[in-house]
Amino acid sequence: MGNSHLYDLFNISLEAGKEIMDVYAQDFYVEFKEDDSPLTQADRRAHALIMRRLNELDCTIPVLSEEGRQIPYSERRTWTRFWLVDPVDGTKEFIKKNGEFTVNIAFIEGNYPTIGIIYAPALDVIYFGRNGDAAYKLEHASKATVLNEEELIRKSTKLPNLKEHSAIRVVASRSHMSQETEAFIKDLEAKHGAIEVVSSGSSLKFCLVAEGKADYYPRYAPTMEWDTGAGQAIVEAAGGTVTHYEDDERFDYNRADLLNGWFLVKGSSA
């Protein structure tokens, strides 16, 4: 990927955020998909914008989006690179209007994410990272004057932004807390003493680990590939890891089944 794409993704994420916040400010209708997951006009509008803008960026790169058409593995298996998109990650948080929802865009090369960008439009904070480079956070993102990638990086804070803390911190979902996650926390308590549980919604859990505000994010509950690709890219760029629960191998993508297995996210200091 050329250097300019990170700046392009920054702008695409901000534009999608505007579409989302326009719906967020109104009374909106919630419908439900076949799997009973919620869907709003914000999901549709953000998806349409992102698809259009990524196609303008490079029409030869396919896009796998939560709100796009179901692409069979017989077609996907030939992909060597693709965009992985969740237009609104945390639709339940969006509906609750607690601000903890995000735009997720990842670039997958081979079977692993190499670029990730996560924008939380209600919080106006953006996280981004690139494999072999570094991860960053920019607050008040929509108000920043950023004309190119160099300015984007210069005005952002490099991650992790580590500060002294006594307790091991575990980030867990507000909406999903499995028995296995509770057992993981109890095991850490037995080894380290006091454990601080940090709650957050959507892919912001990955961002907290990348930032250094949490040491672990155990996800022992279902997710989909588009829920995790961007977050993994950012965590890995910040020096952390995302591994399969069953074998501790690096989390991979574009599998025949897009339903993720369990995984564990570790920060750089864990």
Side-chain angles (χ1 to χ4, degrees), residues 10-52:
F10 169 74
N11 286 316
I12 292 170
S13 298
L14 292 185
E15 290 171 25
K18 290 178 182 178
E19 294 289 328
I20 293 166
M21 292 307 293
D22 184 53
V23 177
Y24 192 67
Q26 307 170 25
D27 292 328
F28 51 83
Y29 174 72
V30 180
E31 56 186 293
F32 291 88
K33 295 183 280 190
E34 290 182 1
D35 62 357
D36 289 331
S37 60
L39 179 71
T40 73
Q41 194 61 28
D43 299 85
R44 296 185 187 279
R45 288 172 57 173
H47 166 76
L49 184 142
I50 293 169
M51 291 292 290
R52 183 177 71 252

Side-chain angles (χ1 to χ4, degrees), residues 65-104:
S65 171
E66 178 178 14
E67 307 310 336
R69 72 178 180 91
Q70 298 299 307
I71 303 172
Y73 184 60
S74 58
E75 179 181 343
R76 290 190 287 108
R77 68 187 303 173
T78 64
W79 294 355
T80 58
R81 56 180 187 161
F82 66 98
W83 298 108
L84 182 60
V85 176
D86 193 343
V88 182
D89 183 42
T91 299
K92 291 180 181 178
E93 316 300 338
F94 179 86
I95 294 167
K96 294 175 186 175
K97 292 201 170 186
N98 67 11
E100 295 181 343
F101 50 89
T102 59
V103 177
N104 294 2

Side-chain angles (χ1 to χ4, degrees), residues 153-217:
I153 290 173
R154 187 174 68 248
K155 293 184 176 183
S156 301
T157 301
K158 189 175 181 180
L159 304 179
N161 186 16
L162 297 174
K163 297 179 181 178
E164 290 294 326
H165 61 280
S166 56
I168 297 294
R169 295 162 301 180
V170 179
V171 62
S173 171
R174 294 190 190 281
S175 305
H176 311 277
M177 174 71 88
S178 68
Q179 291 182 342
E180 291 82 4
T181 302
E182 293 176 355
F184 175 85
I185 292 171
K186 289 180 180 178
D187 184 56
L188 283 178
E189 286 177 334
K191 293 177 181 177
H192 302 286
I195 299 296
E196 180 183 348
V197 176
V198 183
S199 295
S200 181
S202 71
S203 59
L204 289 170
K205 295 183 286 294
F206 284 92
C207 299
L208 292 178
V209 175
E211 194 171 354
K213 290 184 175 179
D215 303 292
Y216 297 93
Y217 166 33

